[in-house]
Amino acid sequence: GGLHWAQDRNWRQNRLAAGVGQELALGRAEAFVLAYDAAWSHPGVLRFDDVEAGQEDHYGSYGLRQGGTSRRVLAGATWELHRDHFRGSVMAYAAGRWLHLIQTWTGYFEDPTHSDGTGQAHQAFTAGFRTEAHQLFEWWEDYSLGSAGVEFRTDLFQQYNESIQPNGQVISLDDRIEGRQ
């Protein structure tokens, strides 16, 4: 007997970063987007005698393919105005995150009925708007700065953890949480 860590590893990754800026008659406008997408698998745990007997491939796992996916995106736009002693800006942004993991450490041979496989997921969304203004005042040969602004932001998220069998079937939802702010 004994344990054997399989080498089942695979991954892909894509990234995007783009932005644009333009001087306008009334200031400067800029916009950007950042994105990330990845997927991977990682090794399973196998019994030595199953690998030696050829019942399981050296790179395999018992039923459940382990790994995950991760995706993120962030986008925003800004407009700024600069005139003499005045500066103003408006910014809007949005971001999303998604993460999903599947894992099992001892797998099927430890508990053929339930295994110790887990699936976990996290999803989040953030969006916001911000505006601010700054005015420089000259009083008796001295300067003072007046500032004002408003910001609004919302955050939504949910995550869960579930027990799964080696074939990927969900046994139970163990934890779930979600929130709004």
Side-chain angles (χ1 to χ4, degrees):
L3 299 178
H4 172 78
W5 287 92
Q7 302 299 314
D8 186 13
R9 297 169 194 247
N10 186 18
W11 65 277
R12 73 163 165 73
Q13 182 174 332
N14 299 301
R15 296 182 202 159
L16 168 72
V20 64
Q22 179 67 45
E23 292 294 333
L24 303 172
L26 295 175
R28 178 169 177 78
E30 296 179 344
F32 71 92
V33 64
L34 303 171
Y36 175 80
D37 174 55
W40 64 92
S41 61
H42 52 82
V45 181
L46 301 173
R47 293 176 56 104
F48 275 124
D49 53 352
D50 287 347
V51 174
E52 294 294 320
Q55 293 175 347
E56 291 296 331
D57 183 275
H58 173 77
Y59 297 102
S61 63
Y62 291 110
L64 187 62
R65 287 308 227 178
Q66 301 178 81
T69 57
S70 175
R71 294 185 176 94
R72 297 169 183 253
V73 65
L74 172 64
T78 303
W79 175 71
E80 291 186 348
L81 172 65
H82 298 274
R83 292 290 180 258
D84 298 325
H85 298 299
F86 176 81
R87 181 181 155 282
S89 67
V90 176
M91 177 177 61
Y93 58 90
R97 299 181 307 275
W98 300 267
L99 175 66
H100 185 248
L101 301 172
I102 295 177
Q103 60 194 7
T104 181
W105 300 110
T106 56
Y108 180 78
F109 76 94
E110 281 291 321
D111 186 348
T113 304
H114 298 103
S115 149
D116 67 345
T118 60
Q120 301 174 30
H122 174 82
Q123 302 172 2
F125 177 75
T126 299
F129 172 83
R130 177 183 180 144
T131 183
E132 59 184 43
H134 303 280
Q135 178 67 49
L136 191 61
F137 298 100
E138 184 177 354
W139 290 349
W140 297 291
E141 298 181 9
D142 198 7
Y143 289 96
S144 294
L145 179 66
S147 298
V150 174
E151 183 170 2
F152 168 79
R153 174 179 165 167
T154 185
D155 293 286
L156 310 170
F157 73 92
Q158 71 173 350
Q159 56 192 51
Y160 69 84
N161 184 52
E162 57 192 11
S163 294
I164 52 179
Q165 291 180 340
N167 65 5
Q169 183 178 357
V170 176
I171 298 170
S172 63
L173 178 61
D174 300 329
D175 298 301
R176 180 183 177 101
I177 186 170
E178 57 184 61
R180 293 171 180 81
Q181 174 176 310

